[in-house]
mmCIF file of all heavy atoms in Angstrom:
data_model
loop_
_atom_site.group_PDB
_atom_site.id
_atom_site.type_symbol
_atom_site.label_atom_id
_atom_site.label_comp_id
_atom_site.label_asym_id
_atom_site.label_seq_id
_atom_site.Cartn_x
_atom_site.Cartn_y
_atom_site.Cartn_z
ATOM 1 N N ASP A 10 104.837 119.970 84.514
ATOM 2 C CA ASP A 10 103.865 121.063 84.335
ATOM 3 C C ASP A 10 104.581 122.354 83.920
ATOM 4 O O ASP A 10 105.441 122.846 84.654
ATOM 5 C CB ASP A 10 103.179 121.295 85.668
ATOM 6 C CG ASP A 10 102.024 122.295 85.619
ATOM 7 O OD1 ASP A 10 101.938 122.985 84.556
ATOM 8 O OD2 ASP A 10 101.244 122.367 86.571
ATOM 9 N N PRO A 11 104.334 122.876 82.669
ATOM 10 C CA PRO A 11 104.996 124.067 82.193
ATOM 11 C C PRO A 11 104.746 125.307 83.099
ATOM 12 O O PRO A 11 105.507 126.270 83.036
ATOM 13 C CB PRO A 11 104.476 124.234 80.834
ATOM 14 C CG PRO A 11 103.149 123.597 80.823
ATOM 15 C CD PRO A 11 103.285 122.404 81.759
ATOM 16 N N THR A 31 98.167 91.483 90.996
ATOM 17 C CA THR A 31 97.357 90.858 92.032
ATOM 18 C C THR A 31 97.906 89.498 92.367
ATOM 19 O O THR A 31 98.459 88.762 91.554
ATOM 20 C CB THR A 31 95.911 90.735 91.596
ATOM 21 O OG1 THR A 31 95.821 90.131 90.296
ATOM 22 C CG2 THR A 31 95.194 92.072 91.549
ATOM 23 N N SER A 33 96.165 86.031 94.227
ATOM 24 C CA SER A 33 94.901 85.546 94.757
ATOM 25 C C SER A 33 95.011 84.097 95.272
ATOM 26 O O SER A 33 95.727 83.304 94.635
ATOM 27 C CB SER A 33 93.777 85.563 93.694
ATOM 28 O OG SER A 33 94.137 84.819 92.593
ATOM 29 N N TRP A 35 93.009 80.708 96.694
ATOM 30 C CA TRP A 35 91.778 79.939 96.863
ATOM 31 C C TRP A 35 91.587 79.602 98.344
ATOM 32 O O TRP A 35 92.516 79.222 99.038
ATOM 33 C CB TRP A 35 91.747 78.707 96.045
ATOM 34 C CG TRP A 35 90.521 77.867 96.094
ATOM 35 C CD1 TRP A 35 89.200 78.281 95.969
ATOM 36 C CD2 TRP A 35 90.444 76.423 96.388
ATOM 37 N NE1 TRP A 35 88.382 77.235 96.093
ATOM 38 C CE2 TRP A 35 89.121 76.073 96.368
ATOM 39 C CE3 TRP A 35 91.447 75.479 96.550
ATOM 40 C CZ2 TRP A 35 88.702 74.773 96.577
ATOM 41 C CZ3 TRP A 35 91.028 74.197 96.770
ATOM 42 C CH2 TRP A 35 89.725 73.830 96.785
ATOM 43 N N ASN A 57 111.168 95.745 94.953
ATOM 44 C CA ASN A 57 110.457 95.881 96.218
ATOM 45 C C ASN A 57 110.900 97.057 97.025
ATOM 46 O O ASN A 57 110.548 97.188 98.211
ATOM 47 C CB ASN A 57 110.635 94.636 97.071
ATOM 48 C CG ASN A 57 109.949 93.403 96.376
ATOM 49 O OD1 ASN A 57 109.087 93.596 95.570
ATOM 50 N ND2 ASN A 57 110.383 92.216 96.767
ATOM 51 N N ALA A 58 111.628 97.995 96.432
ATOM 52 C CA ALA A 58 112.024 99.239 97.135
ATOM 53 C C ALA A 58 110.790 100.126 97.374
ATOM 54 O O ALA A 58 109.805 100.088 96.648
ATOM 55 C CB ALA A 58 113.116 99.999 96.325
ATOM 56 N N GLN A 70 90.253 101.479 92.327
ATOM 57 C CA GLN A 70 88.824 101.481 91.965
ATOM 58 C C GLN A 70 88.414 100.024 91.772
ATOM 59 O O GLN A 70 88.770 99.384 90.786
ATOM 60 C CB GLN A 70 88.600 102.281 90.672
ATOM 61 C CG GLN A 70 87.228 102.205 90.134
ATOM 62 C CD GLN A 70 86.242 103.118 90.831
ATOM 63 O OE1 GLN A 70 86.416 104.294 90.971
ATOM 64 N NE2 GLN A 70 85.144 102.499 91.317
ATOM 65 N N ILE A 99 90.569 96.352 87.665
ATOM 66 C CA ILE A 99 90.835 97.326 88.728
ATOM 67 C C ILE A 99 91.625 98.540 88.196
ATOM 68 O O ILE A 99 92.625 98.398 87.512
ATOM 69 C CB ILE A 99 91.691 96.706 89.851
ATOM 70 C CG1 ILE A 99 90.957 95.401 90.417
ATOM 71 C CG2 ILE A 99 91.958 97.671 91.001
ATOM 72 C CD1 ILE A 99 91.775 94.612 91.410
ATOM 73 N N LYS A 135 99.299 77.366 96.440
ATOM 74 C CA LYS A 135 99.937 78.049 95.307
ATOM 75 C C LYS A 135 98.978 79.098 94.774
ATOM 76 O O LYS A 135 97.919 78.767 94.192
ATOM 77 C CB LYS A 135 100.301 77.048 94.244
ATOM 78 C CG LYS A 135 100.976 77.677 93.021
ATOM 79 C CD LYS A 135 101.347 76.646 91.981
ATOM 80 C CE LYS A 135 102.093 77.278 90.789
ATOM 81 N NZ LYS A 135 102.390 76.245 89.759
ATOM 82 N N ASN A 153 114.812 120.181 92.837
ATOM 83 C CA ASN A 153 114.515 119.708 94.195
ATOM 84 C C ASN A 153 114.126 118.202 94.152
ATOM 85 O O ASN A 153 114.602 117.426 94.998
ATOM 86 C CB ASN A 153 113.297 120.459 94.786
ATOM 87 C CG ASN A 153 113.690 121.902 95.159
ATOM 88 O OD1 ASN A 153 114.883 122.227 95.266
ATOM 89 N ND2 ASN A 153 112.713 122.733 95.293
ATOM 90 N N ASN A 160 119.469 109.229 94.708
ATOM 91 C CA ASN A 160 120.148 108.111 95.329
ATOM 92 C C ASN A 160 119.224 107.117 95.964
ATOM 93 O O ASN A 160 119.637 106.187 96.712
ATOM 94 C CB ASN A 160 121.127 108.653 96.375
ATOM 95 C CG ASN A 160 122.280 109.402 95.762
ATOM 96 O OD1 ASN A 160 122.829 108.979 94.692
ATOM 97 N ND2 ASN A 160 122.685 110.499 96.365
ATOM 98 N N PRO A 162 116.854 103.878 96.226
ATOM 99 C CA PRO A 162 117.003 102.530 95.575
ATOM 100 C C PRO A 162 115.880 102.260 94.572
ATOM 101 O O PRO A 162 116.038 101.314 93.753
ATOM 102 C CB PRO A 162 116.974 101.550 96.782
ATOM 103 C CG PRO A 162 116.381 102.296 97.895
ATOM 104 C CD PRO A 162 116.759 103.720 97.703
ATOM 105 N N SER A 176 128.655 110.502 67.909
ATOM 106 C CA SER A 176 128.736 109.557 69.031
ATOM 107 C C SER A 176 127.656 109.960 70.065
ATOM 108 O O SER A 176 127.156 111.087 70.062
ATOM 109 C CB SER A 176 130.103 109.669 69.750
ATOM 110 O OG SER A 176 130.375 110.943 70.284
ATOM 111 N N LEU A 195 104.287 88.610 101.080
ATOM 112 C CA LEU A 195 103.987 87.906 99.831
ATOM 113 C C LEU A 195 105.206 87.851 98.860
ATOM 114 O O LEU A 195 105.068 87.404 97.739
ATOM 115 C CB LEU A 195 102.809 88.573 99.131
ATOM 116 C CG LEU A 195 101.495 88.624 99.895
ATOM 117 C CD1 LEU A 195 100.452 89.399 99.133
ATOM 118 C CD2 LEU A 195 100.988 87.183 100.163
ATOM 119 N N SER A 209 117.642 95.536 82.048
ATOM 120 C CA SER A 209 118.789 95.717 81.198
ATOM 121 C C SER A 209 118.392 96.096 79.737
ATOM 122 O O SER A 209 118.995 96.947 79.091
ATOM 123 C CB SER A 209 119.688 94.534 81.175
ATOM 124 O OG SER A 209 119.015 93.338 80.744
ATOM 125 N N GLN A 216 119.094 104.170 76.321
ATOM 126 C CA GLN A 216 120.374 104.791 75.996
ATOM 127 C C GLN A 216 120.466 105.028 74.460
ATOM 128 O O GLN A 216 120.871 106.074 74.057
ATOM 129 C CB GLN A 216 121.527 103.867 76.423
ATOM 130 C CG GLN A 216 121.650 103.815 77.954
ATOM 131 C CD GLN A 216 122.753 102.803 78.373
ATOM 132 O OE1 GLN A 216 123.355 102.193 77.489
ATOM 133 N NE2 GLN A 216 123.014 102.721 79.641
ATOM 134 N N GLY A 220 120.501 108.673 72.801
ATOM 135 C CA GLY A 220 121.652 108.994 72.010
ATOM 136 C C GLY A 220 121.275 109.541 70.643
ATOM 137 O O GLY A 220 121.851 110.542 70.201
ATOM 138 N N ARG A 226 119.761 116.579 67.763
ATOM 139 C CA ARG A 226 119.769 117.973 68.228
ATOM 140 C C ARG A 226 121.043 118.683 67.810
ATOM 141 O O ARG A 226 121.008 119.817 67.360
ATOM 142 C CB ARG A 226 119.658 117.988 69.760
ATOM 143 C CG ARG A 226 118.264 117.732 70.261
ATOM 144 C CD ARG A 226 118.211 117.741 71.800
ATOM 145 N NE ARG A 226 116.917 117.503 72.375
ATOM 146 C CZ ARG A 226 116.697 117.324 73.658
ATOM 147 N NH1 ARG A 226 117.677 117.354 74.527
ATOM 148 N NH2 ARG A 226 115.429 117.070 74.091
ATOM 149 N N ASN A 233 121.697 124.894 61.652
ATOM 150 C CA ASN A 233 121.220 126.230 61.877
ATOM 151 C C ASN A 233 122.404 127.234 61.841
ATOM 152 O O ASN A 233 122.297 128.344 61.335
ATOM 153 C CB ASN A 233 120.478 126.314 63.237
ATOM 154 C CG ASN A 233 119.153 125.708 63.185
ATOM 155 O OD1 ASN A 233 118.563 125.509 62.107
ATOM 156 N ND2 ASN A 233 118.633 125.315 64.329
#
Side-chain angles (χ1 to χ4, degrees):
D10 187 347
T31 50
S33 60
W35 179 51
N57 295 339
Q70 173 78 55
I99 303 174
K135 184 179 180 181
N153 291 340
N160 292 320
S176 65
L195 298 176
S209 59
Q216 289 176 359
R226 284 178 180 172
N233 287 337

